[in-house]
Amino acid sequence: RFSITNQALIKIQKGSCLLSQGNLIEAESYFKQVLDTNFDLGYYRYYAEICLAEILIKQKKNRDAEKILSAIPINEISHQDPEFSSLYYSTMSEFHSSEGNTKSFQQDIEKYANAMKNLDANRSVIIDQLIYDSYTKNKESLISLRNKNLIICFFATILGTFIIFYIKRIYNIT
């Protein structure tokens, strides 16, 4: 099970790299290999479908791309994964641009911008949590160390005072 999933994810990565290099035919074959498996890949299957649709749009096969994109349940997914929805709306805007549908293109660009804002906000929260948690843990550690040092200094002072009084008493120093 894991090796099949890993192979599919590797093919998705290879396809993505080839797509970004403009090698559409090879990228298409990798995405089709992933989609031909009947294995549950979750969102990664949708990612492969979106990338395949992007390739089909670039190849002027808009009807095939439209079939793929219309089958993706974006309303269910967009709230959970802004990165995925930004990719979807970017591809949809590319599709509507190639169709010459400026109204839908404009709507998709707005949805894309909102998805990117959500993605940015989510990443900011994660980064803030990492920084704050790290700062808080570091601060707590420093406070704990300072408290330990204060206790040691306090007891060392008391011990030193007792030793001084003890020495004065033994040697009758006034």
Side-chain angles (χ1 to χ4, degrees):
R1 180 189 188 300
F2 289 115
S3 65
I4 294 172
T5 302
N6 290 340
Q7 288 174 4
L9 294 176
I10 289 169
K11 287 179 182 178
I12 288 172
Q13 286 300 315
K14 284 182 179 178
S16 295
C17 291
L18 291 166
L19 177 59
S20 67
Q21 292 175 343
N23 191 338
L24 302 181
I25 294 169
E26 244 184 293
E28 180 180 6
S29 73
Y30 278 106
F31 291 122
K32 283 184 176 180
Q33 287 174 31
V34 170
L35 296 172
D36 286 344
T37 65
N38 290 331
F39 204 71
D40 181 25
L41 298 171
Y43 291 145
Y44 294 111
R45 178 172 291 284
Y46 297 133
Y47 180 84
E49 289 174 345
I50 291 172
C51 290
L52 180 60
E54 184 179 340
I55 291 168
L56 293 172
I57 292 166
K58 289 178 181 180
Q59 294 174 338
K60 308 290 186 215
K61 298 177 183 174
N62 288 1
R63 292 304 130 231
D64 295 333
E66 184 178 31
K67 285 178 192 174
I68 292 171
L69 291 170
S70 64
I72 296 173
I74 190 62
N75 291 332
E76 297 170 19
I77 299 168
S78 64
H79 301 292
Q80 298 169 1
D81 192 346
E83 189 167 1
F84 174 79
S85 59
S86 67
L87 177 66
Y88 175 84
Y89 290 122
S90 171
T91 305
M92 284 300 291
S93 66
E94 191 177 332
F95 169 76
H96 286 120
S97 174
S98 69
E99 292 281 302
N101 187 340
T102 54
K103 183 179 179 183
S104 294
F105 170 78
Q106 207 52 282
Q107 291 171 344
D108 290 329
I109 288 294
E110 288 175 21
K111 290 176 183 177
Y112 171 75
N114 287 333
M116 290 303 290
K117 285 179 191 176
N118 290 339
L119 179 61
D120 187 46
N122 288 349
R123 287 182 179 163
S124 294
V125 167
I126 291 170
I127 290 169
D128 287 346
Q129 286 175 343
L130 290 173
I131 292 171
Y132 177 76
D133 288 347
S134 174
Y135 171 75
T136 302
K137 287 177 185 174
N138 192 24
K139 185 177 178 182
E140 289 171 359
S141 174
L142 290 174
I143 290 171
S144 175
L145 184 62
R146 184 193 68 195
N147 290 342
K148 288 177 186 175
N149 287 337
L150 285 173
I151 291 170
I152 291 170
C153 288
F154 175 75
F155 284 119
T157 304
I158 290 176
L159 182 63
T161 305
F162 283 127
I163 291 173
I164 290 172
F165 283 121
Y166 181 73
I167 292 173
K168 283 184 176 183
R169 188 171 182 180
I170 290 178
Y171 295 109
N172 274 336
I173 302 174
T174 55

